[in-house]
């Protein structure tokens, strides 16, 4: 997809109210894409909409959706809204994510980092997959991280009940992003839909600013060696637009180069197991929610 071909293409991006997602939304709108931004809070989403609109190329549209992605009911409602609103979906950017230094649980009783960073993109992608297939050639890109290095999927303690360390948990979810992407790519073979993940680098964004004064100060100290958000969004925008990646699938990228992730992230059996367990987790929340309604 070159700049011209991006015109008229429908892109959906989560975590677009700040940081890497907002910078990517601005860049894609500037290139003529129709950009749908997903935010968690109405006010911040409206502010982001105005910023993206100010950068948008003539003719491109900017639309908004509000959803707390840590809630599976909200993810399901978001997907239903998207399917009703857009006849086609060319690019899905799963970008929203966060780290929590203390263990919290989502409204569904799922540890919050896992709910937001892994299960939300997993469920949203699954719910939008038929539309993405019908819109092929289309792309799914998930913001992962080199933080996955050294992590393993805690299959015996998925809800982090036995032990919880904020950064350790974050690392596990970023590993899950890469395993999800590679399993998704295998399942998409022959569909002309591609799935890739990437590491944006250390980026000076709102990341880790939700964890109190100490973490706030740590992020400020890291600022001199961090990239700005535009640089952090570069590989995301490239993956969404470049013709160079149409013939590859399931890869992990850093600075627009395909890189091998950790051995744990290349484990095909773990990727399949994670997929099946994630399906079961989503099904169990759905049946609980149905039972309660
Ligand atoms: N910054 C880095 O150095 C770095 C490095 C590697 C990977 N990453 C990854 O990059 C992605 C973007 O992070 P960022 O650095 O741009 O951080 P950020 O500035 O904090 O942006 C995170 C975005 O996610 C949204 N979000 C958070 N919780 C949400 C929820 N429950 N429901 C819906 N949206 C939610 C935020 O919305 P609000 O505006 O409402 O908070 C915001 O738009 C994440 O997946 C992160 O893991 C970041």
């Amino acid at each position: 997809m070159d700049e011209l071909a991006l015109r008229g293409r429908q892109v959906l991006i989560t975590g677009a109210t700040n940081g890497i997602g907002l910078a990517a939304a601005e860049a894609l709108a500037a290139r003529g894409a129709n950009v749908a931004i997903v935010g968690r809070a109405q006010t911040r989403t409206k502010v982001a909409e105005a910023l993206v609109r100010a950068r948008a190329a003539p003719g491109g549209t900017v639309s908004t959706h509000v959803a707390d992605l840590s809630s599976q009911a909200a993810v399901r409602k978001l997907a239903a809204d998207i399917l009703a609103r857009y006849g086609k979906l060319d690019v899905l950017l799963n970008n929203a994510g966060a780290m929590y230094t203390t263990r919290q649980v989502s409204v569904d009783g799922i540890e919050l980092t896992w709910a937001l960073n892994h299960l939300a993109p997993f469920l949203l992608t699954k719910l939008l997959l038929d539309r993405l297939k019908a819109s092929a050639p289309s792309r799914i890109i998930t913001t992962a991280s080199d933080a996955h290095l050294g992590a393993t999927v805690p299959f015996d303690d998925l809800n982090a009940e036995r032990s919880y360390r904020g950064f350790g948990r974050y690392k596990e979810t970023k590993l899950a992003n890469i395993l999800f992407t590679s399993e998704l790519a295998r399942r998409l073979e022959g569909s002309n839909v591609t799935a890739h993940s990437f590491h944006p680098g250390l980026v000076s964004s709102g990341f880790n600013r939700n964890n109190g004064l100490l973490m706030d100060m740590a992020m400020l100290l890291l600022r001199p060696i961090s990239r700005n958000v535009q640089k952090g969004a570069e590989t995301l925008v490239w993956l969404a637009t470049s013709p160079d990646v149409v013939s590859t699938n399931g890869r992990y990228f850093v600075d627009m180069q395909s890189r091998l992730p950790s051995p744990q992230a290349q484990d095909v059996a773990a990727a399949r197991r994670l997929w099946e367990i994630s399906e079961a987790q989503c099904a169990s929340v759905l049946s609980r929610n149905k039972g309660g309604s």
Side-chain angles (χ1 to χ4, degrees):
M1 261 190 256
D2 57 21
E3 281 192 28
L4 201 63
L6 202 56
R7 283 185 193 279
R9 299 273 179 167
Q10 185 62 55
V11 176
L12 181 80
I13 177 161
T14 68
T17 50
N18 202 39
I20 296 161
L22 176 57
E26 288 176 327
L28 291 165
R31 291 179 183 206
N34 294 332
V35 178
I37 63 178
V38 182
R40 164 174 46 170
Q42 183 78 47
T43 317
R44 281 198 297 281
T45 308
K46 283 290 161 201
V47 172
E49 180 187 17
L51 293 169
V52 176
R53 215 178 267 289
R55 293 283 310 278
T61 65
V62 181
S63 50
T64 62
H65 298 266
V66 176
D68 180 341
L69 297 170
S70 67
S71 153
Q72 292 197 9
V75 173
R76 287 180 187 279
K77 182 178 178 310
L78 172 67
D81 289 348
I82 289 160
L83 293 176
R85 193 153 164 189
Y86 312 107
K88 66 189 192 70
L89 181 58
D90 302 292
V91 183
L92 169 61
L93 305 175
N94 289 311
N95 168 74
M99 180 176 87
Y100 302 96
T101 46
T102 54
R103 185 179 183 277
Q104 298 168 54
V105 290
S106 72
V107 286
D108 303 315
I110 293 170
E111 188 283 315
L112 193 55
T113 334
W114 191 257
L116 173 65
N117 293 7
H118 169 58
L119 286 181
F122 175 81
L123 182 59
L124 184 63
T125 303
K126 281 200 68 184
L127 293 169
L128 298 178
L129 209 48
D130 284 346
R131 184 60 49 84
L132 284 153
K133 284 180 183 166
S135 312
S138 51
R139 304 176 183 201
I140 302 162
I141 300 141
T142 300
T143 306
S145 173
D146 265 2
H148 80 278
L149 294 167
T152 51
V153 179
F155 285 113
D156 58 342
D157 188 23
L158 268 190
N159 219 21
E161 275 153 7
R162 285 209 298 275
S163 79
Y164 185 87
R165 293 205 350 258
F167 189 55
R169 183 57 166 178
Y170 175 73
K171 286 164 71 68
E172 291 165 0
T173 64
K174 292 290 130 179
L175 170 63
N177 289 156
I178 303 173
L179 290 169
F180 155 68
T181 299
S182 61
E183 179 65 20
L184 177 63
R186 275 188 285 280
R187 288 167 186 252
L188 285 170
E189 230 164 78
S191 68
N192 218 359
V193 183
T194 56
H196 293 300
S197 66
F198 78 103
H199 169 59
L202 178 61
V203 182
S204 180
S205 62
F207 185 76
N208 199 20
R209 308 299 284 266
N210 55 305
N211 289 310
L213 194 60
L214 217 58
M215 287 298 159
D216 224 6
M217 281 164 58
M219 296 318 284
L220 279 176
L221 286 174
L222 286 173
R223 192 172 270 180
I225 56 161
S226 304
R227 306 170 159 195
N228 64 30
V229 290
Q230 287 74 23
K231 180 77 184 160
E234 210 169 67
T235 300
L236 180 53
V237 173
W238 177 78
L239 284 170
T241 56
S242 174
D244 297 352
V245 284
V246 284
S247 55
T248 62
N249 212 350
R251 301 258 182 98
Y252 178 66
F253 289 84
V254 182
D255 288 339
M256 295 173 278
Q257 302 288 323
S258 176
R259 292 269 179 83
L260 277 183
S262 69
Q264 291 87 345
Q266 297 175 54
D267 184 337
V268 175
R272 192 177 308 121
R273 188 175 173 201
L274 176 66
W275 186 281
E276 284 160 6
I277 284 179
S278 307
E279 273 184 332
Q281 284 191 294
C282 294
S284 138
V285 170
L286 182 63
S287 84
R288 252 185 290 132
N289 285 350
K290 276 189 175 157
S293 64

